[in-house]
Amino acid sequence: MPASNFSIPLDGSIVGIYLLVTMMAGVMVRKYVRRVDHFLVAGREMNLYLGIASLAATEFGIVTCMYTAEGGFTRGFAGAIPGICNAIAMFVVGWTGFCIKPLRDSGVMTIPELFQSRYGPFVRWLSGVVIVLGGLLNMGVFLRVGGQFLVISCGIETRYLEAMMTALLIFVAIYTVLGGMLSVLITDFLQFVVMSAWLIAVTALILYQVGWDGIVTNVQTKLGNGGFNPFLSDELGWEFVVSNLITNTAVVLTWQTVVARLLAAKDTATGRRVYTATAFFFICRWMLPGLWGIAAIGAVTTQTLDALAIQMGEHSGTLFAMPYYLSTIVPAGMMGILIAAMLAADMSTDSSYMLTWGSVIYNDILAPFRKKPWSERTGLLWNRFIVALIGLFLLFWGLWYRLEGNVWEYLQTTGTIYLSSMSILLVAACYWKRANDYGAVAAILIGAALPILALTLNLFVHVNVPGDDGLVRQVGWAKHYVGDAWVNIGTYLLVALAMVIGSLLKPRRGAVSKVRTAS
Amino acid sequence: MWHDKLWEHWFWLGLAAASLLWYSTITVYVSIRGALDIRDMLRRLSREE
C-alpha cells in the first residue's frame, strides 16, 4: 500500500471525535420516534433548509465522490455530463411540479402506495419488489467502494478492507435503526456542513497546486477534444448524453432517497422548493470531485493503478486514482478532517439508503400480508429489523461482488431495473387516463428483465478485447456488443411501449380513477 | 498565452467557479437556516407528545 500523509495519532483522533459526535447526535433523537411515520418520514415535519442539507448530504457519499472523480480521470470534463443532466431534470421537475405535485398531494409514504390507488394492490407489491431489488443491487457496492477509499487514502493494508467496511456499517446502522428518518435528517445536516467545507478546501488546494492551466492540459493531453465535448468523444457520443438525460429525469421522479425528501416535506410547495434549490448541487457533486480526478491524470501512473486494482481484487484501477492522489497531496492534520468529511458523506448516504429501501419493504412488500394493521410499536420493531437486515445484505454483497467497468455505468444499469418502469408508471398514473394494471405489470417485467439480463451477461459472458497498450482485456458481453448507454435507452423505450400496449389490450370498464389526493 | 487557455474552455471554467461559489455561499446559509429548522422540527414533535 502506498505511503499516505494520514497520521494515526493526529488524523485518527480527529476522525474518532467526529464519529462520536455524529453517533451521539443520531442516537439522541431516538426519543422523538414514537410512531412509524416518525421513523419513515420524520412525521412530515421537515422544512426547506433541512431538506436541502439532507438531500445534498444523501446524494453525496464516498461512492459518489469516487465515481465522479473516476469520470474526471477517464473522461475529463465530459465526465460531468450526468451531473448537468441531473441538475436540469431536478430544476425542471421542481419548477413545473411534473409528477411530484400529484405525488406529494396524495399523502403517500412511498411511490408504490400511490400505484395501489391507480393500478391495484398487486402492482403496488410488484413495484415494491423491483424497487428493493434495483435499489439494493445499486447500493450493494457503496460499502466496498467506501472501504476502498479509506484503505487507499489512509495508507492502510488491504487486509483491513473488510474490517473497515464492517465498522463503517455498524456505526451507520446503530443510529439509523434507533432513530430512523429523524436521526438521518440530524446527522445528514452535520454531515452536509462538514462535507461541504472540506469539498471546497480540497478543491482549493488542488487548484493551488495544479492550477486551471494544469487541469486543462491534463484533459487535452490524455483525451483531446473529446475530454471537453462528449459529442466529440469516441467513448461517449450523443447516446451517452441522451441516456443520462433519461436516467436523471427518472431519478428525480422516482429515486426513493430523493422522493423521500419530497414526501417528508411539510407541504408540496416546500417539497418543490427543495428540488429547485438543490438542482445546482448536482452539478457541483460531479464538477468538484471531477476536478480531483482530472488533477490525478498528471500525477498517477497506469502501473500504480494496475497494482492497486490487483490489491483490491478489481478489474480496473481507474476508480483508485483520486484517493491515491489525495493521499499524497493532502497534508497530515488536513487528512484527518478530509477523512472525517468523507466518512460524513458516506454515513449520510448509507443511512438514508438503508432507511428508504427499508420503508418500501415495510410499506409495500409486507403490507399485503398483514391481515390487520400492526400497532405502532410492532411497526417500529419491524422497520428496525428490516434496516438491520439491509445492513447485513450490504456487508455480504460488498464482500462478494466485483465491479465490471465504470461504477457510474453499474449504478445506472442497476438503477434502471426499477427507474425505467417506476418513472413510466408514475407519469402514466398522473397524466394518462387509459393506463391500467395490464400495462403496469408488463412495464415492470420488461424494465427489470432487460437490465438484469445485461448485468448477467456482463458478469458471466466475457469477450477478449485488445487494448491500446496491446494487452488483451476481458469485457462483459452486453457492454461490448450493445453498450451501457444503449441498454439504458432501449430499456426505457421498451418499457414505455409495454405500458402503452399492455394498457390498450385491457378492455375498458367505466371511468378510470384519478390519483387521489390527501387534501 | 495563459489567459487564452483560461478562457478557451469558458463553459467548464464557469461551471467550476459557480460550483465553488454555490458551495461556499449556500453551505453557510443552509447551515444557519437548517439548524433553525431542526430546532423547530424537534419542538413540534415534542408538542405532539
Side-chain angles (χ1 to χ4, degrees):
Chain A
M1 194 51 55
S4 161
N5 290 338
F6 187 85
S7 146
I8 290 179
L10 178 63
D11 297 310
S13 307
I14 294 170
V15 173
I17 290 169
Y18 174 75
L19 286 175
L20 198 66
V21 170
T22 312
M23 177 84 90
M24 279 169 62
V27 171
M28 274 166 68
V29 294
R30 76 186 189 286
K31 64 178 178 183
Y32 295 97
V33 181
R34 294 178 303 277
R35 300 195 314 253
V36 171
D37 71 326
H38 289 157
F39 190 86
L40 294 183
V41 287
R44 297 190 198 278
E45 293 288 0
M46 186 197 77
N47 221 326
L48 177 64
Y49 296 97
L50 183 55
I52 294 171
S54 175
L55 185 55
T58 294
E59 292 306 314
F60 190 91
I62 291 181
V63 68
T64 324
C65 196
M66 294 277 270
Y67 70 68
T68 50
E70 186 184 33
F73 186 78
T74 56
R75 295 164 175 172
F77 288 104
I81 290 296
I84 297 173
C85 296
N86 201 341
I88 293 170
M90 196 84 183
F91 185 81
V92 171
V93 168
W95 188 47
T96 58
F98 177 66
C99 291
I100 62 169
K101 186 180 180 309
L103 177 62
R104 178 63 186 86
D105 284 345
S106 68
V108 296
M109 283 202 279
T110 57
I111 290 178
E113 196 180 336
L114 177 92
F115 292 160
Q116 177 159 12
S117 66
R118 184 62 192 267
Y119 304 118
F122 178 66
V123 172
R124 175 184 181 177
W125 181 83
L126 196 59
S127 301
V129 171
V130 285
I131 284 179
V132 170
L133 182 68
L136 290 184
L137 282 178
N138 190 276
M139 195 193 169
V141 295
F142 287 14
L143 205 58
R144 183 173 189 83
V145 173
Q148 287 170 336
F149 174 90
L150 294 175
V151 163
I152 294 173
S153 54
C154 299
I156 300 169
E157 286 182 45
T158 318
R159 63 194 164 102
Y160 294 121
L161 175 64
E162 280 76 22
M164 295 288 277
M165 286 167 57
T166 312
L168 205 63
L169 185 72
I170 289 172
F171 272 117
V172 175
I174 287 175
Y175 70 76
T176 312
V177 164
L178 290 175
M181 184 57 112
L182 276 171
S183 289
V184 167
L185 287 178
I186 305 286
T187 52
D188 274 3
F189 173 75
L190 288 174
Q191 288 152 359
F192 170 77
V193 176
V194 175
M195 178 194 88
S196 303
W198 282 92
L199 206 60
I200 298 167
V202 171
T203 309
L205 178 74
I206 286 173
L207 286 175
Y208 175 74
Q209 291 205 351
V210 184
W212 182 256
D213 197 23
I215 299 257
V216 169
T217 306
N218 280 354
V219 176
Q220 191 70 57
T221 311
K222 187 182 175 190
L223 301 154
N225 290 335
F228 299 95
N229 184 343
F231 298 104
L232 301 178
S233 163
D234 294 336
E235 189 204 349
L236 306 178
W238 67 268
E239 64 270 28
F240 174 78
V241 180
V242 172
S243 165
N244 273 286
L245 264 177
I246 296 172
T247 302
N248 283 296
T249 305
V251 162
V252 303
L253 290 178
T254 59
W255 194 242
Q256 195 58 31
T257 51
V258 178
V259 169
R261 268 62 193 178
L262 172 79
L263 301 176
K266 66 173 186 171
D267 52 39
T268 306
T270 304
R272 287 173 64 180
R273 285 173 68 201
V274 169
Y275 268 56
T276 49
T278 322
F280 193 76
F281 159 78
F282 288 92
I283 291 180
C284 303
R285 77 168 192 163
W286 280 87
M287 271 308 290
L288 300 185
L291 290 177
W292 305 359
I294 293 172
I297 292 174
V300 185
T301 63
T302 313
Q303 289 82 354
T304 305
L305 295 182
D306 287 345
L308 284 171
I310 292 167
Q311 283 175 37
M312 294 291 166
E314 302 290 357
H315 297 295
S316 162
T318 52
L319 190 64
F320 310 126
M322 181 272 289
Y324 177 80
Y325 175 61
L326 290 189
S327 75
T328 59
I329 65 149
V330 179
M334 256 184 96
M335 200 67 199
I337 308 178
L338 170 73
I339 298 298
M342 296 305 284
L343 275 173
D346 209 47
M347 289 161 75
S348 56
T349 305
D350 290 349
S351 60
S352 194
Y353 273 61
M354 283 161 75
L355 183 73
T356 47
W357 306 130
S359 70
V360 176
I361 295 176
Y362 171 80
N363 206 44
D364 306 304
I365 297 180
L366 296 180
F369 298 106
R370 293 196 294 253
K371 289 198 171 103
K372 58 178 185 175
W374 282 329
S375 67
E376 293 292 339
R377 189 183 155 80
T378 314
L380 275 173
L381 268 175
W382 266 104
N383 273 291
R384 287 176 167 143
F385 178 64
I386 292 165
V387 170
L389 276 184
I390 291 175
L392 277 178
F393 164 80
L394 292 182
L395 195 60
F396 288 110
W397 181 261
L399 290 174
W400 175 76
Y401 187 77
R402 295 286 177 274
L403 276 166
E404 184 68 49
N406 192 300
V407 181
W408 172 242
E409 266 73 56
Y410 168 83
L411 296 177
Q412 218 175 358
T413 308
T414 48
T416 302
I417 290 173
Y418 94 76
L419 283 173
S420 54
S421 56
M422 292 303 106
S423 54
I424 301 282
L425 259 70
L426 180 65
V427 174
C430 295
Y431 303 108
W432 191 37
K433 287 183 179 173
R434 190 80 166 84
N436 56 47
D437 54 338
Y438 279 32
V441 172
I444 291 171
L445 294 180
I446 297 281
L450 294 181
I452 289 176
L453 181 66
L455 276 176
T456 311
L457 286 172
N458 281 338
L459 203 57
F460 298 111
V461 187
H462 291 111
V463 181
N464 289 328
V465 180
D468 295 336
D469 51 7
L471 294 173
V472 174
R473 288 189 166 81
Q474 288 198 322
V475 180
W477 191 92
K479 194 175 186 61
H480 182 69
Y481 287 111
V482 186
D484 294 321
W486 282 112
V487 167
N488 206 35
I489 296 170
T491 304
Y492 279 89
L493 286 175
L494 289 173
V495 166
L497 202 63
M499 181 71 186
V500 172
I501 294 173
S503 296
L504 293 178
L505 283 176
K506 184 174 183 177
R508 277 186 158 179
R509 276 181 205 160
V512 181
S513 66
K514 281 175 64 183
V515 168
R516 281 194 287 271
T517 58
S519 52
Chain B
M1 297 292 281
W2 69 270
H3 55 269
D4 290 338
K5 206 160 204 172
L6 185 71
W7 293 108
E8 193 183 354
H9 299 289
W10 58 269
F11 177 75
W12 296 112
L13 177 67
L15 271 190
S19 300
L20 281 172
L21 190 70
W22 190 92
Y23 255 112
S24 44
T25 51
I26 297 287
T27 300
V28 177
Y29 190 68
V30 169
S31 304
I32 297 166
R33 298 293 300 265
L36 296 175
D37 281 357
I38 290 176
R39 190 193 62 185
D40 292 345
M41 180 178 77
L42 295 181
R43 207 176 269 170
R44 284 196 298 270
L45 287 168
S46 301
R47 235 179 273 145
E48 264 185 42
E49 195 175 6

